[in-house]
Amino acid sequence: MRAHRRPEGEHPMSIDRLIPGNPGRRLLLSALACCALLVLPSTGLATDDSDALEGQLDWGQTYRITAPVAGKIETIEVRPGEHVDQDAALFRLDTRRVEADLRAAQAAIERLQLELDEANREVEKAEDLYDQTLIALREVELARIQQATVAARLAEARAQRDRARADRDDATVRAPASGRVTRIDVSPGQFVNPALAPAVLAVLGAGDTMRVRALVAPERIQSLSEGQEVTITVGEHEFSGTIDRIGWELVGKDEDQGYRIEAEFSPSDDAVLRPGQPARIELRTNS
């Protein structure tokens, strides 16, 4: 077979070959093709400061709720997904042992208070007899020692009562902040002991403030600053926020390397937001 020979000077994809005819028309179409090449989007990390960063939503702060005292879970007052206010009761432990310790401490206080009153009278009596030179100073000192001993035992009993009261109050586990209960890891009747293995009873996400985490290309990081205002979009909701943190080390690999930033905002009451949702951060560089 004979190979087809292209005429000299003719490019295989030249505009003259594709569009024969009017030279002016060919010139116009060539110019339009060049313009189209100029507006094609580039690949890789954007460097335009007005572009949005794709990030992920997270709680402003996460609390892992543990039991401060040992005991059996008596009741669970909340369910996963429920919103709670600060100091709201989450769990109640069995307080029978604590109540018994409290009654014992109170009884000891009442008994020791009577002993101290008697010791005070003995000291006064001994001092009066000593003033009349009817007893030796040693007798007065012994009365004072007995008075101090009873006073120390009374102070110890009061400390035990205060400790029992604190344990009784801690038997009601309360929310450290307002937020949403994301997980409950215990069941009624389960025994917990923080001295052996501090079990996580539940996880609470503080929803008063939330944050978006995203990566910023190294060439853009110098244009950002903590406290800088941003616009955060989550689904159909849009919020005003600020950059809260800017990382100091590169994370990721190769072309996806960047500095991690966190933008913080306060969601509205009608916005039901969950960690892990995609979010966008509209950056505004400092002038």
Side-chain angles (χ1 to χ4, degrees), residues 6 42 60 80 97 133 136 145 194-195 245 250 266 278 283 285:
R6 188 172 60 246
S42 58
R97 289 184 176 84
T133 65
I145 290 174
R245 297 177 185 174
L250 280 173
S266 296
L283 297 174
T285 59

Side-chain angles (χ1 to χ4, degrees), residues 149-225:
T149 301
V150 175
R153 291 166 57 195
L154 178 59
E156 182 180 359
R158 286 173 174 165
Q160 292 176 349
R161 178 200 59 190
D162 294 341
R163 187 183 304 112
R165 285 177 176 175
D167 289 344
R168 182 184 60 183
D169 294 340
D170 289 342
T172 300
V173 182
R174 301 184 179 276
S178 61
R180 194 172 299 275
V181 179
T182 62
R183 193 174 80 228
I184 293 179
D185 293 337
V186 291
S187 303
Q190 182 176 339
F191 186 84
V192 293
N193 188 347
L196 300 178
V200 176
L201 307 185
V203 177
L204 176 71
D208 291 342
T209 58
M210 298 193 77
R211 61 183 61 242
V212 179
R213 295 183 172 90
L215 288 182
V216 177
E219 60 268 20
R220 299 182 62 182
I221 197 66
Q222 295 299 329
S223 63
L224 306 179
S225 61

